[in-house]
Amino acid sequence: MNPRPPLELFLRRIVARSLLTEADQDAILSLPGKAIEVRANRDFVRLGEHVTNACLVVEGLVGRFGQNKDGARQITSLHIPGDMVDLHSVVVPHAPAALQAVTNTTILQIPHDKILDISHRHPNVMEAFWRDCVVDGAISAQWVLNVGRRNAQARLAHLLCEMAVRYDKIDRARGLTFDFPVNQTHLADCTGLTPVHVNRSLGALKRAELVSMTQKKVEILDWKGLVDIAEFDTAYLAIASPLEAHEESKHEARA
Amino acid sequence: MNPRPPLELFLRRIVARSLLTEADQDAILSLPGKAIEVRANRDFVRLGEHVTNACLVVEGLVGRFGQNKDGARQITSLHIPGDMVDLHSVVVPHAPAALQAVTNTTILQIPHDKILDISHRHPNVMEAFWRDCVVDGAISAQWVLNVGRRNAQARLAHLLCEMAVRYDKIDRARGLTFDFPVNQTHLADCTGLTPVHVNRSLGALKRAELVSMTQKKVEILDWKGLVDIAEFDTAYLAIASPLEAHEESKHEARA
DNA sequence: CGCGACTTTGACAGATGTCAAGGCTTGTGG
DNA sequence: CCACAAGCCTTGACATCTGTCAAAGTCGCG
């Protein structure tokens, strides 16, 4: 329950994209937070709710869920440890979608007013938060393209590529293998497909030996091949991060 | 070519969501800008480009375009007068998508460094810009849901509802009629459909007397009916805007 | 008047969805 | 250690929505 380590994870994510002074960084690390546990498939923020905390994912996986009248769900974004799921709520405290834990997860709740406070005291920090929200938006835009104009296999491949890069960023050691605690229904909700069709399309990717996915663990067998099918281009994620060049070459080398 | 009026349009948009002092507002109005004309179907920012200006739409319509390897296009967002199309580029100067004029449009180019400058001098302004980017992201998230989990008619209806509210916001007088200078191919690119299918689905909406759409002019004949098909909820757009309540009731009243 | 861009329509094809059943894991309790 | 239940994955047969291709109709403009 010590809030320090989770905030460091968050800080690492932030400084990967923004230049901050010692003082700026200390301000972020000094943010108070209350850790809570959320069980799988439980909403912890509801649609339309007025929120007063931002939620940092410490452990687990969180999705933003939209919904149809017929009950069809669409996951609008996925958040891994170190992500502030709804940093945007600091400036727009009205939840435009429900937040649900995909697997059992630990969340650190950080009061908006504290975040606003350090933001106004440290303009660099505010800029960094702004930037973080922008990257989030860029990911959403990519998802629109993914869901709108790619076939089932490409959609899945793209999602896997994105998550591979994002997980890799928070845990360099894992490389092209990562824990991804979702079931095929979640994949369907991310890609705008049905679970049955996800099953078949994922099966095709497996048969092509591009990826293996057994019980919540993804292993990318052929990075180049998967990127090719997905038409994946890291740029939208990697923005302003010098790491990405390395990533790319590392992946290439391995593939 | 006088940059004052366009910036006022932008300012109006900003203050609709954020509280700014006189000084803050003056800072925004004092932003320098260079107006350029862009012909229909012309890119003015290319994918991957490093940009140094942000682009304010003065007149016309702009889309963010993503693309497939087969050349299928997906419009990721649409921007009307008063929108700063790529305010996000101020903090992430790498263009994640091409920007293209949908119709002949005039753009005001504003240097990033000037925007950053006033942002750091006026934290309220930075917060307002941050907020604006967040709303943009919320729209993208809605589009993911739209394209991922709605059928053709609902997708179109949703797009029309969204644009109606957004146009209404910049020009109260027009109400449920607005100029929307797109062709059916653009609608297809927004909704992830084909032009042919847009034609048929739009035809169905027309036959149901929900909307009429002749040569670049949209008239919503049955707001309530359209909202119903679209499953449209203004909240994600209207955020923090007290106007919205009025809007809603006004539309209801008219429908 | 005639060209070009856009819209509309038809016939047919293909991708994805639906429904339903069976098999596999995993975890739990006896 | 076995048996069972619950959730998840896999598969098949068939339905439906949306896409494709192609042609004709409409509209605005030079």
Side-chain angles (χ1 to χ4, degrees), chain B residues 7 35 43 58-59 72 84 90 103 109 112 120 122 139 144 156-157 161 195 207 209 227 253:
Chain B
L7 277 170
D43 285 4
V58 177
E59 184 70 52
M84 190 84 85
V90 170
T103 185
Q109 297 183 310
H112 282 169
H120 278 264
H122 303 267
I139 294 178
V144 173
L156 288 165
C161 287
R207 253 173 281 120
E209 309 214 330
V227 160

mmCIF file of all heavy atoms in Angstrom, chain B residues 7 35 43 58-59 72 84 90 103 109 112 120 122 139 144 156-157 161 195 207 209 227 253:
data_model
loop_
_atom_site.group_PDB
_atom_site.id
_atom_site.type_symbol
_atom_site.label_atom_id
_atom_site.label_comp_id
_atom_site.label_asym_id
_atom_site.label_seq_id
_atom_site.Cartn_x
_atom_site.Cartn_y
_atom_site.Cartn_z
ATOM 1 N N LEU B 7 -9.534 34.415 -34.473
ATOM 2 C CA LEU B 7 -9.105 34.108 -33.110
ATOM 3 C C LEU B 7 -10.241 34.295 -32.121
ATOM 4 O O LEU B 7 -10.318 33.614 -31.109
ATOM 5 C CB LEU B 7 -7.904 34.981 -32.721
ATOM 6 C CG LEU B 7 -6.573 34.424 -33.229
ATOM 7 C CD1 LEU B 7 -5.452 35.430 -33.035
ATOM 8 C CD2 LEU B 7 -6.242 33.116 -32.530
ATOM 9 N N ALA B 35 -2.762 33.483 -42.416
ATOM 10 C CA ALA B 35 -3.894 32.827 -43.070
ATOM 11 C C ALA B 35 -3.469 32.221 -44.395
ATOM 12 O O ALA B 35 -2.715 32.838 -45.154
ATOM 13 C CB ALA B 35 -5.010 33.832 -43.296
ATOM 14 N N ASP B 43 -4.073 18.007 -49.050
ATOM 15 C CA ASP B 43 -3.411 17.877 -47.752
ATOM 16 C C ASP B 43 -2.672 19.167 -47.433
ATOM 17 O O ASP B 43 -2.031 19.733 -48.316
ATOM 18 C CB ASP B 43 -2.355 16.765 -47.797
ATOM 19 C CG ASP B 43 -2.983 15.379 -47.774
ATOM 20 O OD1 ASP B 43 -4.223 15.290 -47.801
ATOM 21 O OD2 ASP B 43 -2.229 14.403 -47.735
ATOM 22 N N VAL B 58 -10.679 28.590 -40.104
ATOM 23 C CA VAL B 58 -11.387 29.862 -40.120
ATOM 24 C C VAL B 58 -12.713 29.698 -40.853
ATOM 25 O O VAL B 58 -13.751 30.179 -40.429
ATOM 26 C CB VAL B 58 -10.532 30.946 -40.807
ATOM 27 C CG1 VAL B 58 -11.298 32.251 -40.896
ATOM 28 C CG2 VAL B 58 -9.215 31.116 -40.069
ATOM 29 N N GLU B 59 -12.625 28.963 -41.956
ATOM 30 C CA GLU B 59 -13.789 28.807 -42.818
ATOM 31 C C GLU B 59 -13.612 27.506 -43.571
ATOM 32 O O GLU B 59 -12.508 27.204 -44.023
ATOM 33 C CB GLU B 59 -13.812 29.982 -43.826
ATOM 34 C CG GLU B 59 -15.020 30.028 -44.728
ATOM 35 C CD GLU B 59 -16.256 30.394 -43.950
ATOM 36 O OE1 GLU B 59 -16.211 31.416 -43.249
ATOM 37 O OE2 GLU B 59 -17.254 29.637 -44.018
ATOM 38 N N ALA B 72 -7.785 2.412 -48.723
ATOM 39 C CA ALA B 72 -9.041 2.783 -48.082
ATOM 40 C C ALA B 72 -8.759 3.889 -47.063
ATOM 41 O O ALA B 72 -7.826 3.798 -46.278
ATOM 42 C CB ALA B 72 -9.646 1.567 -47.386
ATOM 43 N N MET B 84 -9.272 24.333 -33.483
ATOM 44 C CA MET B 84 -7.840 24.251 -33.749
ATOM 45 C C MET B 84 -7.583 22.779 -34.069
ATOM 46 O O MET B 84 -7.519 21.932 -33.183
ATOM 47 C CB MET B 84 -7.062 24.673 -32.510
ATOM 48 C CG MET B 84 -5.589 24.860 -32.736
ATOM 49 S SD MET B 84 -5.150 26.480 -33.390
ATOM 50 C CE MET B 84 -5.051 27.445 -31.878
ATOM 51 N N VAL B 90 0.999 21.009 -30.652
ATOM 52 C CA VAL B 90 1.817 21.917 -29.860
ATOM 53 C C VAL B 90 2.680 21.131 -28.881
ATOM 54 O O VAL B 90 3.846 21.445 -28.675
ATOM 55 C CB VAL B 90 0.925 22.913 -29.081
ATOM 56 C CG1 VAL B 90 1.756 23.698 -28.077
ATOM 57 C CG2 VAL B 90 0.218 23.852 -30.038
ATOM 58 N N THR B 103 -13.439 20.768 -48.047
ATOM 59 C CA THR B 103 -13.936 21.747 -49.017
ATOM 60 C C THR B 103 -12.894 22.864 -49.046
ATOM 61 O O THR B 103 -11.933 22.827 -48.295
ATOM 62 C CB THR B 103 -15.307 22.278 -48.563
ATOM 63 O OG1 THR B 103 -15.826 23.121 -49.551
ATOM 64 C CG2 THR B 103 -15.200 23.024 -47.260
ATOM 65 N N GLN B 109 -2.516 29.724 -39.536
ATOM 66 C CA GLN B 109 -1.383 28.995 -38.966
ATOM 67 C C GLN B 109 -0.778 29.784 -37.827
ATOM 68 O O GLN B 109 -0.385 30.931 -37.996
ATOM 69 C CB GLN B 109 -0.321 28.777 -40.038
ATOM 70 C CG GLN B 109 -0.792 27.914 -41.182
ATOM 71 C CD GLN B 109 0.322 27.676 -42.193
ATOM 72 O OE1 GLN B 109 0.974 28.621 -42.632
ATOM 73 N NE2 GLN B 109 0.523 26.421 -42.543
ATOM 74 N N HIS B 112 3.785 27.218 -33.013
ATOM 75 C CA HIS B 112 3.784 26.479 -31.756
ATOM 76 C C HIS B 112 4.443 27.262 -30.630
ATOM 77 O O HIS B 112 3.936 27.287 -29.511
ATOM 78 C CB HIS B 112 4.556 25.166 -31.930
ATOM 79 C CG HIS B 112 3.774 24.111 -32.632
ATOM 80 N ND1 HIS B 112 4.343 22.949 -33.093
ATOM 81 C CD2 HIS B 112 2.470 24.031 -32.950
ATOM 82 C CE1 HIS B 112 3.430 22.208 -33.658
ATOM 83 N NE2 HIS B 112 2.275 22.842 -33.596
ATOM 84 N N HIS B 120 2.683 28.923 -20.997
ATOM 85 C CA HIS B 120 3.507 28.910 -19.791
ATOM 86 C C HIS B 120 3.354 30.197 -18.994
ATOM 87 O O HIS B 120 3.546 30.215 -17.788
ATOM 88 C CB HIS B 120 4.973 28.655 -20.147
ATOM 89 C CG HIS B 120 5.268 27.202 -20.334
ATOM 90 N ND1 HIS B 120 5.785 26.390 -19.342
ATOM 91 C CD2 HIS B 120 5.053 26.379 -21.396
ATOM 92 C CE1 HIS B 120 5.908 25.154 -19.782
ATOM 93 N NE2 HIS B 120 5.474 25.105 -21.043
ATOM 94 N N HIS B 122 0.475 31.809 -18.880
ATOM 95 C CA HIS B 122 -0.900 31.821 -18.367
ATOM 96 C C HIS B 122 -1.377 30.374 -18.147
ATOM 97 O O HIS B 122 -1.994 29.794 -19.036
ATOM 98 C CB HIS B 122 -1.838 32.508 -19.349
ATOM 99 C CG HIS B 122 -1.458 33.904 -19.685
ATOM 100 N ND1 HIS B 122 -1.954 34.998 -19.013
ATOM 101 C CD2 HIS B 122 -0.617 34.404 -20.623
ATOM 102 C CE1 HIS B 122 -1.442 36.109 -19.522
ATOM 103 N NE2 HIS B 122 -0.631 35.775 -20.502
ATOM 104 N N ILE B 139 -14.195 12.719 -28.317
ATOM 105 C CA ILE B 139 -14.897 12.555 -29.589
ATOM 106 C C ILE B 139 -14.353 11.339 -30.332
ATOM 107 O O ILE B 139 -15.105 10.507 -30.827
ATOM 108 C CB ILE B 139 -14.779 13.833 -30.454
ATOM 109 C CG1 ILE B 139 -15.517 14.986 -29.767
ATOM 110 C CG2 ILE B 139 -15.336 13.594 -31.845
ATOM 111 C CD1 ILE B 139 -15.424 16.316 -30.493
ATOM 112 N N VAL B 144 -14.899 5.551 -32.079
ATOM 113 C CA VAL B 144 -14.529 4.130 -32.013
ATOM 114 C C VAL B 144 -15.790 3.312 -31.763
ATOM 115 O O VAL B 144 -16.060 2.322 -32.451
ATOM 116 C CB VAL B 144 -13.504 3.853 -30.896
ATOM 117 C CG1 VAL B 144 -13.279 2.353 -30.744
ATOM 118 C CG2 VAL B 144 -12.182 4.543 -31.187
ATOM 119 N N LEU B 156 -24.368 6.826 -39.337
ATOM 120 C CA LEU B 156 -24.621 8.084 -40.036
ATOM 121 C C LEU B 156 -25.423 9.026 -39.159
ATOM 122 O O LEU B 156 -25.123 10.224 -39.063
ATOM 123 C CB LEU B 156 -25.378 7.798 -41.341
ATOM 124 C CG LEU B 156 -24.520 7.147 -42.418
ATOM 125 C CD1 LEU B 156 -25.395 6.575 -43.524
ATOM 126 C CD2 LEU B 156 -23.517 8.144 -42.975
ATOM 127 N N ALA B 157 -26.424 8.488 -38.533
ATOM 128 C CA ALA B 157 -27.262 9.317 -37.669
ATOM 129 C C ALA B 157 -26.415 9.946 -36.566
ATOM 130 O O ALA B 157 -26.558 11.130 -36.255
ATOM 131 C CB ALA B 157 -28.381 8.465 -37.068
ATOM 132 N N CYS B 161 -25.872 13.886 -35.854
ATOM 133 C CA CYS B 161 -26.216 14.497 -34.561
ATOM 134 C C CYS B 161 -25.025 15.266 -34.005
ATOM 135 O O CYS B 161 -25.161 16.407 -33.542
ATOM 136 C CB CYS B 161 -26.635 13.424 -33.556
ATOM 137 S SG CYS B 161 -28.261 12.719 -33.874
ATOM 138 N N PRO B 195 -19.111 4.086 -50.025
ATOM 139 C CA PRO B 195 -20.006 5.128 -50.523
ATOM 140 C C PRO B 195 -21.360 4.559 -50.938
ATOM 141 O O PRO B 195 -22.399 5.164 -50.662
ATOM 142 C CB PRO B 195 -19.248 5.682 -51.728
ATOM 143 C CG PRO B 195 -17.815 5.439 -51.422
ATOM 144 C CD PRO B 195 -17.778 4.149 -50.671
ATOM 145 N N ARG B 207 -35.927 8.533 -46.236
ATOM 146 C CA ARG B 207 -37.265 7.980 -46.426
ATOM 147 C C ARG B 207 -38.053 7.963 -45.113
ATOM 148 O O ARG B 207 -39.262 8.134 -45.102
ATOM 149 C CB ARG B 207 -37.171 6.566 -47.025
ATOM 150 C CG ARG B 207 -37.583 6.537 -48.499
ATOM 151 C CD ARG B 207 -37.318 5.177 -49.114
ATOM 152 N NE ARG B 207 -35.910 5.011 -49.457
ATOM 153 C CZ ARG B 207 -35.101 4.085 -48.978
ATOM 154 N NH1 ARG B 207 -35.567 3.197 -48.110
ATOM 155 N NH2 ARG B 207 -33.845 4.029 -49.336
ATOM 156 N N GLU B 209 -37.913 10.178 -43.096
ATOM 157 C CA GLU B 209 -38.146 11.591 -42.780
ATOM 158 C C GLU B 209 -37.481 12.034 -41.486
ATOM 159 O O GLU B 209 -38.041 12.820 -40.719
ATOM 160 C CB GLU B 209 -39.650 11.881 -42.728
ATOM 161 C CG GLU B 209 -40.350 11.384 -43.972
ATOM 162 C CD GLU B 209 -41.513 12.252 -44.384
ATOM 163 O OE1 GLU B 209 -42.133 12.867 -43.501
ATOM 164 O OE2 GLU B 209 -41.799 12.309 -45.603
ATOM 165 N N VAL B 227 -31.799 11.089 -32.908
ATOM 166 C CA VAL B 227 -31.044 10.820 -31.683
ATOM 167 C C VAL B 227 -31.294 9.385 -31.229
ATOM 168 O O VAL B 227 -30.385 8.690 -30.780
ATOM 169 C CB VAL B 227 -31.468 11.793 -30.566
ATOM 170 C CG1 VAL B 227 -31.088 11.261 -29.195
ATOM 171 C CG2 VAL B 227 -30.838 13.163 -30.796
ATOM 172 N N ALA B 253 -37.844 20.825 -27.966
ATOM 173 C CA ALA B 253 -39.004 21.665 -28.231
ATOM 174 C C ALA B 253 -39.315 21.720 -29.721
ATOM 175 O O ALA B 253 -40.461 21.639 -30.134
ATOM 176 C CB ALA B 253 -38.751 23.075 -27.691
#
